[in-house]
Amino acid sequence: MTTAEADRELKEKHRALWASGDYPAVAADLISELGPVLVRACGVRPGDRVLDVAAGSGNAAIAAAAAGGIVTASDLTPEMFGPGRAIAAERGVELEWVEADAEALPFADNSFDIVMSCVGAMFAPRHQAVADELVRVVRPGGTIGMINWTPQGFIGRLFATMKPYAPPPPPGASPPPLWGDEDHVGQLFGDRVAALRTQRQTVVMDHCADPAEFREYWKSNYGPTIATYRFNADQPERIEALDSDFLALLTDWNRETIPGRTAYDAEYLLVTAVKR
């Protein structure tokens, strides 16, 4: 298999992973506030040319359009676009939807005033390639903005819990939560950006009544969790162990003390920078 063929196969697997389950529901149920947070941090104004990379169903892209931006929402998984278009129509905004790989964006150099990604581009396997593309397509003086899950936070620990059971990562891949490490982000962008700012913040996930229900929510709706369970489908003892480890994580991280309610503080890194 050639390198190009291997890359196409990898991208197809990633597309299938994120098309499984119901990521638009996850975005709406758990992290709907993050898109507007990123848009405010990027300072989107009417007339700004905005690119949302790995936009999913448009959590940030739709908020940018509502702020008056001329928005392109791009994602490797176009199955997300149908729900995104429906949400945009409900909110009375228009934007362009483009199938695109975060590691090889189909846009010219210096095309956008703002390039952003809300817990999306961090999941592309080759972090440096993604950083290079984000810098390439934004104009000099333009803004790059990202929200990325941190390694130490709830979602980072969720991935750490699944890791022993998950399919092996492709060669050269970096763990997604590394994008939530300040030093890693600084190394990726290097001296090509100025005014690099990072801030750790949290979003509260309080969607389910108890940890067991929340575990089933992830198993039904979130592509990486679905893929991990499928990888172990013919090994009941590993499924049982994964279920146990997953429930222990959700029990330990639940800060709600009232029966019938849960609350999880999910830490993320808010990143903004200006292209030199």
Side-chain angles (χ1 to χ4, degrees):
M1 182 182 296
T2 66
T3 301
E5 290 171 338
D7 189 64
R8 280 195 298 271
E9 182 177 301
L10 172 61
K11 301 304 180 183
E12 284 302 317
K13 287 180 179 179
H14 270 258
R15 174 177 172 173
L17 181 152
W18 290 105
S20 64
D22 191 351
Y23 185 76
V26 173
D29 294 339
L30 304 183
I31 60 170
S32 61
E33 67 189 72
L34 293 190
V37 167
L38 183 57
V39 168
R40 287 193 296 270
C42 290
V44 176
R45 296 170 299 181
D48 281 343
R49 299 164 298 163
V50 180
L51 174 65
D52 188 1
V53 179
S57 51
N59 188 355
I62 292 169
I70 302 168
V71 181
T72 300
S74 68
D75 201 282
L76 184 67
T77 307
E79 288 85 347
M80 304 281 192
F81 295 166
R85 289 188 178 100
I87 296 168
E90 289 174 3
R91 298 184 185 176
V93 298
E94 295 184 1
L95 56 157
E96 183 182 19
W97 302 84
V98 177
E99 182 176 349
D101 178 0
E103 297 177 359
L105 294 169
F107 308 108
D109 298 356
N110 309 319
S111 295
F112 298 93
D113 300 303
I114 296 170
V115 175
M116 62 185 185
S117 184
C118 184
V119 296
M122 64 175 289
F123 289 100
R126 301 178 183 92
H127 292 190
Q128 190 62 63
V130 171
D132 293 348
E133 286 295 272
L134 298 181
V135 173
R136 181 183 66 80
V137 300
V138 72
R139 64 168 174 80
T143 298
I144 297 170
M146 301 183 76
I147 285 180
N148 303 317
W149 301 121
T150 66
Q152 302 84 4
F154 171 63
I155 301 299
R157 301 316 303 164
L158 186 153
F159 274 90
T161 298
M162 294 193 297
K163 184 177 178 180
Y165 305 94
S174 298
L178 266 183
W179 268 110
D181 178 86
E182 294 89 343
D183 291 339
H184 185 65
V185 171
Q187 291 168 6
L188 290 172
F189 289 127
D191 61 5
R192 297 174 297 176
V193 303
L196 175 63
R197 295 184 175 89
T198 59
Q199 182 177 3
R200 293 191 177 217
Q201 301 182 175
T202 58
V203 59
V204 178
M205 299 180 176
D206 56 1
H207 185 66
C208 292
D210 57 59
E213 181 183 326
F214 204 25
R215 180 188 64 189
E216 298 309 305
Y217 179 90
W218 289 102
K219 289 169 65 174
S220 298
N221 293 293
Y222 193 57
T225 307
I226 293 169
T228 299
Y229 273 89
R230 283 179 179 169
F231 186 67
N232 296 278
D234 60 349
Q235 301 180 72
E237 70 285 354
R238 284 179 61 82
I239 292 289
E240 184 178 354
L242 175 55
D243 266 346
S244 178
D245 289 349
F246 207 159
L247 185 59
L249 170 80
L250 296 176
T251 301
D252 290 345
W253 277 76
N254 179 24
R255 66 167 172 79
E256 181 59 79
T257 58
I258 299 174
R261 295 173 59 177
T262 59
Y264 297 87
D265 293 324
E267 184 183 64
Y268 61 88
L269 188 70
L270 176 62
V271 179
T272 57
V274 176
K275 180 177 174 177
R276 292 185 186 275

